[in-house]
Amino acid sequence: MLALYYYPGNASLLPHMMLREIGVPFELRLVDRNNNAQKSAEYLKLNPNGRIPVLVDEDLVLFETTAIALYLADKFPQAGLAPAIGTKERAEFYKWMVHLTNTPQAEYRAWFYPHEHVSEDSAAPAVKEAARERLERMFDVISEQLGNKTWLVGDRFSAADLFLFMLIRWGRGMPRPPRAIPNLNALAERVAARPAVQAVFEKEGLKAPLF
Ligand SMILES: N[C@@H](CCC(=O)N[C@@H](CS)C(=O)NCC(=O)O)C(=O)O
């Protein structure tokens, strides 16, 4: 059976939402961040980077959220979480999955963990502030690209919308949260209303404000 190593609200949220959308049986394994379990010898055997999530599928042990998401979309094509291979929509889907992971997701690392980017702790607030400015610009661009469309890729819901939802959610404590941008707020509302996503909120114990 598939197993997902997770912590509530962490990057594991994307594969968790996908697994519930797919409707396949899977096991959830909590990585207890309160005890730094993501840095334990046992967990480092799964992901030597000590980060969440990891997906295990028999002898496959996969780290990197986006690799997990692409794998799940391919393994369960009937769930329709990615457009068909070889289509222009599939290319757009790749663009968004890669952009979301290497641009806003990576920038959030600087917002949430600014101390990782400095040698003097006193410089951390300036790093956080610069990350805030860059994140705001990134969400402005995503908003412009989304325009008045319902979903990010073509006219169909996909894993890219779940990914964007997770990133909008992570910014809920920012001075100008992504939900302050009307079309991003509307997309987040559409995603949050999905029964599979509601089931994930309940399972992970995520409470309002959800984004
Ligand atoms: N590029 C990685 C980043 C994962 C990541 O940064 N996960 C965070 C939680 S959202 C984490 O494990 N933080 C705990 C730590 O770094 O010790 C991925 O997408 O899987």
Side-chain angles (χ1 to χ4, degrees):
M1 195 196 291
L2 292 163
L4 177 67
Y5 288 78
Y6 86 110
Y7 187 83
N10 279 198
S12 41
L13 190 59
L14 172 59
H16 191 184
M17 292 187 290
M18 290 182 70
L19 286 163
R20 301 257 172 209
E21 288 280 350
I22 293 163
V24 71
F26 65 97
E27 196 184 311
L28 269 181
R29 297 187 186 154
L30 180 70
V31 185
D32 187 3
R33 282 192 62 175
N34 300 320
N35 289 314
N36 232 18
Q38 75 277 20
K39 305 291 188 241
S40 67
E42 199 188 339
Y43 189 78
L44 290 176
K45 281 188 209 148
L46 303 172
N47 183 354
N49 303 303
R51 292 189 184 176
I52 300 162
V54 163
L55 181 83
V56 176
D57 184 6
E58 296 180 354
D59 59 344
L60 173 71
V61 179
L62 200 58
F63 61 79
E64 282 302 336
T65 308
T66 303
I68 296 170
L70 295 173
Y71 175 67
L72 289 175
D74 285 352
K75 187 175 166 96
F76 301 102
Q78 68 281 8
L81 291 173
I85 290 176
T87 61
K88 288 185 179 142
E89 288 77 18
R90 182 72 170 210
E92 294 279 339
F93 174 73
Y94 287 141
K95 176 187 79 181
W96 281 114
M97 295 300 279
V98 172
H99 178 75
L100 293 177
T101 196
N102 74 9
T103 307
Q105 188 192 357
E107 195 64 49
Y108 267 125
R109 193 81 204 172
W111 165 260
F112 285 118
Y113 308 79
H115 54 278
E116 286 181 348
H117 299 257
V118 297
S119 46
E120 294 287 332
D121 277 357
S122 60
V127 166
K128 195 172 172 74
E129 179 60 11
R132 178 190 66 74
E133 282 176 20
R134 285 191 298 263
L135 276 163
E136 286 184 1
R137 279 201 300 277
M138 288 169 191
F139 281 110
D140 284 339
V141 170
I142 295 168
S143 163
E144 279 164 30
Q145 294 279 306
L146 177 64
N148 59 12
K149 293 198 302 141
T150 306
W151 304 117
L152 210 41
V153 180
D155 55 5
R156 282 191 51 195
F157 169 74
S158 74
D161 300 299
L162 294 172
F163 201 160
L164 179 53
F165 170 79
M166 181 175 79
L167 298 174
I168 292 170
R169 172 180 156 75
W170 285 357
R172 67 196 182 284
M174 295 180 72
R176 193 195 87 180
R179 68 165 182 276
I181 305 175
N183 63 349
L184 296 185
N185 185 61
L187 182 132
E189 280 179 347
R190 281 191 285 277
V191 172
R194 297 179 70 84
V197 175
Q198 301 250 325
V200 171
F201 295 155
E202 187 167 337
K203 186 75 195 169
E204 296 200 6
L206 305 181
K207 306 263 182 279
L210 290 162
F211 55 90

